[in-house]
Structures are given as C-alpha cells and as structure tokens.
Amino acid sequence: MKITVSDTEHVAKLARLDLSEQEKKRYTQSLNDILGYMEVLNRVDTTGVEPTAHVLKLQNVFREDTIRPGLDKKLALDNAPEQENGCFKVPRIV
Amino acid sequence: MSVEYEVVIGLEVHTELKTKTKIFCSCPTEFGSEENTHVCPVCLGLPGVLPVLNKRVLEFAVRTGLALDCQIAGFSKFDRKNYFYPDLPKAYQISQYDLPICYHGCLEIEIGGAAKKIGITRIHMEEDAGKLVHDGATINTSAYSLGDYNRAGVPLLEIVSEPDLRSPEEARIYLEKLKAILEYIDVSDVKMEEGSLRCDANISLRPQGAKTLGTKAEIKNMNSFKALQKALEYEIERQRKILEKGGRIIQETRTWDDAQGVTASMRSKEEAHDYRYFPDPDLVPLVVDPQWVKEIKDSLPELPDTKRKRLTSEMALPDYDARIITGSKALADFFDRVVAGYNEPKTVSNWMMGELLRLLNAKGIEIDKCKVTPENFAALLQIQADGTISGTMAKTVFEEMFSTGQDPALIIREKGLVQISDEGILAGVIDKVIAANPQSVADYKAGKEKTLGSLVGQVMKETKGQANPRIVNKLLKEKLPLFPA
C-alpha cells in the first residue's frame, strides 16, 4: 500500500493540520516509511497469536462508585482562554 | 407500475446509567446542577490524567446484556473515537469499537397479537458528551458556543438493534419495551424528556422481496415515542417519493424537526465516520469472570414479560390489563402494593385502568408523582367493599384523594359521604317515591321492568346519592310485586 499526497491531505484535515506543499511531500514520505516498516512486521507468522489490546499485562482495573470532590468551578474555568456565564467559551464550531 | 416497498429500520438507543459517579472519574452524575460544578481534571481532559473504570458501569452493562439475552464478552476493551467537536474536551470519546461488552441479544415484541424477535447486535459502554449552548439560533449562525461539562463522562450504554423492524409502529413498540426493561432492571432513569433515554434510527426502503438493503438515512433528535413514530412515517414518505421518481437516496444524517413535522439534512460531514478508532492505552482490557456474570444473572428482578404472565396466571387478570400494568415498572409496583392491602386483583386493576390512569392522563402526570398512596388506594377499595360508601361515592372520594393526597376515611367523614343501608330509613323514602310517581309504578306493574331503574334513581336523588342501591333495589321489588299474588 502506497500513501499518496492526497491521503496525507485527508489525514491532515482530520487532524486539523494545515500543511505547506513542502510538508505534504515530507509527511507523505514519512508515512510511507512507517507503513513500509509495518510490511516487514507483517511477514512475521502470527498464527494463533491474539491481537494486542494493551501493552501492559494488566486487566480489570476498577474504581468503586463513590463520589469524590472534583474541581471548584472557579478553578475549573481559570485556565480557559475565554469563559462566559460559568461556561467554557469556544470559537465558532462550523 | 408501482413498486411495493419494504421498510427496514434499526434503532440505536443511548441510555444514561444511574450510577452515582461518572464512568471514568468520581464526579457526580446528578442532572440539572449549576454549570461546570461536576467536573474534575479527568472529565475536563486535562493533560496527564488517568481514567479508571467505574465497576458499577460494567455491572450495569452486564445486567442489561443479560436482560436482553445477550452473550457477555469474555474479553472486552475501550477505544478512542476521534472527532473534533467541543462537546468533549479531549477531542475523542472513550467508547468500545470492535469488542463490545455484550453482543447477539434479542428482545421480543408483540405486533398485531403475534410475537416477533428483534435482534440486538451489540451493547457497548461509553462516556456521554457535555452540553453546548450556541450563541445564535443554530450552530451554523453562531459566532461562539458555551460548554458545560457536567454531563461529560456520564456513563452511557449504546444498544444497537438489528435492522429487524419493519414499521414505525414496530420501532415505537420496541423502544417502549426496551424502556420498560431498563426501568425494571433499575440501570437507568429512562426519561426521554431529560435525555437519559435517546434514540436514533437508521431507515431505508427496498423493493418488496429484495435481498439487499437500500441506502439508509440516519434520523436524530426524536425526543419522544410519538416523535419517533412521526419522524419515521415522514421519512418513509420522503424516501418513497424519491424512489418512485427514479431518484437515489443520499446516505446522510437527518434531524427531526418536531414543530415543522419534517426531517432535514444535517450539515453533511465530508469526512463522516472516519473516527480513526484505536485501543485506549489509558484503560486496560476487561476479562469478565463467568461466576460474577452468573451472580448478576441470579440477581435479575422479574422482567415485564414474566410479570405479565404471573398477573394473568396467578391473579387471573385479562391479558390486556396485565399488559398495561406491566408496561411500566412504576405502575406494576404500584399495583403490587395496592393488592398487598386489598387482595382483589381484578378490582384493583379496574380502578387503576379506569380512574387512576384517566386522571393521570387528564392531568398529564406520571405515576411516581401521584399523590394517592397505594395504601390509601387499598383502604378506599376496602371501605367500598364494606358497603360504607357506594361505587359512585368511591369515585368522588378518589378524585379528592387524587388532588389532595388525603386519607379516604378523612374525606368521607368531612364530606359526610356515608352510604345509607338502614332499611327502615330507606323504606320511608321509597314509600314517598312510590306515592309521587304513580305512572312509573303502574308501568312497572304492567310489566315494564325497566321502569324500576327510574324509581331507584328517584330514591338516589332523594338521598343525595347516599342510598345503598342494592338495598333500594331489593326493597322496591318487595314493595312492588311484579305479579300480584
């Protein structure tokens, strides 16, 4: 599978990245290098191996359903670039 | 030649779980609080935080899966669903993608008297998003929006049905049944008006007999059972008209406008459904212990279908009554408590279906806001059965109880509503009525038995409705022999 400039543009758009023509070329090359390495990995026989869902050998980590104090409203909003009426103010969405 | 189309509908239902805390942090889930007062670094998506699963959410998911005949996954995990929209501060939603906690279930509905099984594809756990208030009338005309993240991270189950539903009516019945089950197993408040039960529909048409599915539209923003049915009915006509003209359905998301009664295309998302899911590295996989699943299964309460069968078999209620009473858990619990105080199920059912539901519907209130307690309800039925008051009086008393929540005995005493059963007193009134209505008496004696009713009516009128009608009937018949000896 070969990544083209238009694939890079698509991925960049999904990630809200604005790339210059030069960057598009560079990232297309980088993505192809990464996928090329995946092709090497794909040659390994993985018959009978479960897909990895997590790198740690941990499972079933839970919390009890008990309320604990969170952030004070003022503190929660303090770092927001803008706020209004006790809410986070965000720029035009669409 | 016109083509007959088959309607194909699948529902995606989201239900908020009634846990005390959010799915991945210890903030409260309480509805209707001041903006941004139930937030913490985890649900605000601040850097460096670690989400940890609320065990109760997993338990509720398994409980729901079992109640819907699902397989419970031995191995399950969480994934990130990536999208840029400020209803979630992290720019992704933690959800489940390819390994949901429950799958392959089914729910049986009844349509036109016949049972029909609707497949449940999957049930997965995810976090709810926050609430955005837009500055303008719509998102498209807004210069900015305001975010309240109290709801961000409230646990949700998404319950996805197979495309097995064939009409808007089937879709509504399925949703009603699902709501009842979620209510019975006590995992959600299932209040559509508060958003704790939400429903999206995928709907397409195909020529009758076709094997492949037509192109579907996804309908959102249906906030009541009525809206669901109306939106789907509208959408069927819209798609039929396009197909009949030889046009093509565009796969898109449409929103139901309840006021206008139409569905409208939502801003078409060019990159729609490119969510780039990947396993969430912050959350470790789940391996559910079969013994724990068994314990949850054993602790499931009686479900609506089982309860309905018990009401018809053990309490001899007609199926119609049993169906209505078990249609909501609150109504079924109310019924059980009234019967506990007055063990005549059919009488209780008649009163609930007649007087109680009539008044609830007229006032537009839910049973859980009803002022009449089941204990007072039972007491009223007992007083009527004792003959202290007549059926008509009991209805008056009930209306009073309904509006004031007062004890029936107190209302009866205050209003002086005591039935007159004393034969001596009634005999005096009856003599007066006979003397005043010679024509009716003559008609009756001549064989017009129906005239007796009007004489009974006169006696009731004389006693301001307090006479015991059974005794009045008996005395009148004694005083006016039909065939003089």
Side-chain angles (χ1 to χ4, degrees):
Chain A
M1 179 175 154
K2 189 97 172 126
I3 297 285
T4 63
V5 171
S6 82
D7 291 325
T8 304
E9 284 170 345
H10 172 71
V11 173
K13 187 172 183 186
L14 289 174
R16 301 291 193 275
L17 292 175
D18 194 9
L19 301 182
S20 67
E21 288 307 311
Q22 202 189 346
E23 283 170 321
K24 281 180 197 167
K25 264 189 214 157
R26 180 149 50 102
Y27 288 127
T28 304
Q29 181 60 47
S30 303
L31 288 172
N32 274 315
D33 289 346
I34 293 166
L35 289 180
Y37 180 61
M38 293 297 159
E39 287 303 319
V40 177
L41 291 182
N42 273 345
R43 282 185 234 138
V44 180
D45 180 7
T46 53
T47 319
V49 179
E50 286 292 320
T52 304
H54 203 280
V55 292
L56 299 178
K57 276 199 185 284
L58 266 179
Q59 55 200 27
N60 297 345
V61 176
F62 302 118
R63 291 184 3 254
E64 292 304 315
D65 187 24
T66 313
I67 296 173
R68 282 164 53 187
L71 286 178
D72 175 73
K73 180 170 179 166
K74 185 180 173 303
L75 198 58
L77 288 159
D78 260 356
N79 281 334
E82 281 191 273
Q83 50 171 294
E84 189 175 306
N85 297 334
C87 290
F88 293 85
K89 188 170 175 181
V90 298
R92 171 187 281 274
I93 298 169
V94 288
Chain B
M1 189 187 89
S2 86
V3 186
E4 283 296 311
Y5 288 102
E6 181 182 41
V7 177
V8 178
I9 301 168
L11 294 188
E12 287 175 15
V13 174
H14 285 90
T15 185
E16 280 181 353
L17 297 177
K18 54 190 231 189
T19 52
K20 291 194 193 75
T21 65
K22 293 186 179 179
I23 180 168
F24 299 120
C25 65
S26 304
C27 292
T29 53
E30 195 191 346
F31 177 79
S33 303
E34 194 188 320
E35 296 90 347
N36 295 306
T37 50
H38 298 335
V39 291
C40 75
V42 174
C43 55
L44 286 179
L46 301 188
V49 296
L50 204 58
V52 183
L53 179 63
N54 180 344
K55 190 167 187 188
R56 201 92 167 121
V57 172
L58 179 62
E59 183 196 326
F60 281 1
V62 171
R63 201 193 297 191
T64 306
L66 292 170
L68 294 172
D69 260 335
C70 288
Q71 303 291 313
I72 307 301
F75 185 87
S76 184
K77 68 176 169 77
F78 285 100
D79 302 274
R80 291 186 182 179
K81 178 180 180 178
N82 299 280
Y83 65 92
F84 286 99
Y85 193 71
D87 61 352
L88 271 171
K90 303 189 296 299
Y92 62 83
Q93 178 191 31
I94 305 176
S95 181
Q96 296 197 284
Y97 183 50
D98 55 340
L99 296 172
I101 184 69
C102 312
Y103 57 96
H104 287 175
C106 93
L107 186 159
E108 194 175 285
I109 62 169
E110 228 167 278
I111 180 89
K116 177 172 176 180
K117 280 187 162 56
I118 306 301
I120 306 282
T121 315
R122 58 184 279 162
I123 303 175
H124 70 251
M125 300 175 275
E126 62 186 23
E127 55 183 346
D128 204 348
K131 193 175 128 196
L132 291 177
V133 175
H134 306 299
D135 142 66
T138 71
I139 188 169
N140 292 301
T141 59
S142 296
Y144 65 89
S145 302
L146 298 177
D148 167 16
Y149 296 108
N150 282 347
R151 202 179 59 189
V154 167
L156 285 182
L157 289 185
E158 179 173 327
I159 303 167
V160 183
S161 88
E162 289 288 309
D164 287 344
L165 299 159
R166 290 289 171 271
S167 70
E169 190 193 8
E170 284 188 18
R172 179 184 49 79
I173 293 172
Y174 165 86
L175 187 61
E176 282 171 352
K177 187 77 178 278
L178 183 58
K179 177 183 186 240
I181 291 173
L182 294 170
E183 197 186 7
Y184 271 70
I185 61 173
D186 209 20
V187 297
S188 172
D189 285 333
V190 290
K191 288 185 178 152
M192 288 189 93
E193 67 282 9
E194 285 185 8
S196 58
L197 185 73
R198 313 198 277 266
C199 174
D200 300 335
N202 287 309
I203 176 167
S204 63
L205 265 55
R206 63 179 170 191
Q208 200 70 254
K211 287 276 180 282
T212 52
L213 292 172
T215 306
K216 68 184 178 184
E218 184 179 358
I219 316 297
K220 290 183 176 290
N221 195 37
M222 299 167 294
N223 298 325
S224 66
F225 292 107
K226 217 165 133 190
L228 171 70
Q229 187 160 349
K230 274 166 64 188
L232 293 176
E233 280 163 3
Y234 174 86
E235 188 59 20
I236 290 169
E237 282 318 302
R238 187 189 73 87
Q239 294 191 11
R240 189 198 307 276
K241 277 181 198 151
I242 293 173
L243 293 172
E244 279 173 355
K245 278 191 214 142
R248 282 183 179 212
I249 305 298
I250 301 163
Q251 181 160 349
E252 62 180 350
T253 303
R254 300 180 68 84
T255 181
W256 170 246
D257 182 334
D258 205 42
Q260 305 282 324
V262 296
T263 65
S265 179
M266 288 174 84
R267 168 182 61 101
S268 108
K269 298 184 226 158
E270 295 167 60
E271 319 281 351
H273 304 299
D274 200 343
Y275 292 125
R276 294 148 296 143
Y277 284 97
F278 64 86
D280 192 319
D282 285 345
L283 288 152
V284 297
L286 304 170
V287 177
V288 175
D289 176 12
Q291 181 58 36
W292 187 54
V293 173
K294 192 180 172 298
E295 280 167 30
I296 296 174
K297 187 166 194 162
D298 292 342
S299 75
L300 278 181
E302 191 178 38
L303 295 176
D305 281 352
T306 322
K307 181 152 201 145
R308 198 180 97 208
K309 281 173 198 144
R310 186 168 61 80
L311 293 191
T312 51
S313 63
E314 287 175 24
M315 298 196 166
L317 285 195
D319 191 59
Y320 178 79
D321 294 32
R323 192 182 303 272
I324 289 180
I325 286 168
T326 57
S328 104
K329 179 169 189 289
L331 211 55
D333 286 349
F334 193 94
F335 173 81
D336 279 346
R337 286 173 61 191
V338 180
V339 170
Y342 181 72
N343 196 15
E344 292 288 342
K346 181 60 183 145
T347 308
V348 174
S349 163
N350 286 347
W351 271 81
M352 280 182 64
M353 315 249 296
E355 296 307 295
L356 180 64
L357 288 181
R358 180 179 66 80
L359 291 172
L360 287 174
N361 289 338
K363 307 274 179 212
I365 54 177
E366 296 286 326
I367 179 88
D368 54 355
K369 301 273 190 307
C370 175
K371 286 185 183 163
V372 180
T373 65
E375 293 69 28
N376 277 344
F377 201 151
L380 173 68
L381 297 181
Q382 189 59 55
I383 293 167
Q384 189 207 345
D386 294 344
T388 311
I389 57 171
S390 69
T392 319
M393 285 178 200
K395 283 179 184 174
T396 312
V397 175
F398 187 77
E399 281 182 21
E400 185 73 17
M401 289 164 70
F402 190 88
S403 52
T404 63
Q406 256 186 3
D407 188 274
L410 196 71
I411 295 170
I412 291 165
R413 212 175 315 133
E414 280 180 357
K415 289 196 180 280
L417 288 173
V418 175
Q419 184 162 257
I420 303 167
S421 297
D422 185 310
E423 296 198 6
I425 296 171
L426 291 178
V429 181
I430 287 170
D431 287 343
K432 249 172 72 184
V433 168
I434 288 175
N437 295 278
Q439 188 57 51
S440 297
V441 172
D443 287 349
Y444 177 72
K445 283 189 171 165
K448 284 191 189 169
E449 288 188 54
K450 273 192 261 174
T451 326
L452 191 71
S454 92
L455 292 170
V456 173
Q458 290 296 322
V459 177
M460 297 308 289
K461 202 173 156 192
E462 284 290 318
T463 57
K464 299 191 175 64
Q466 284 176 278
N468 181 329
R470 191 176 48 81
I471 296 175
V472 173
N473 251 295
K474 188 188 80 151
L475 291 180
L476 267 171
K477 281 184 185 164
E478 281 170 10
K479 286 185 187 286
L480 303 170
L482 208 47
F483 307 107

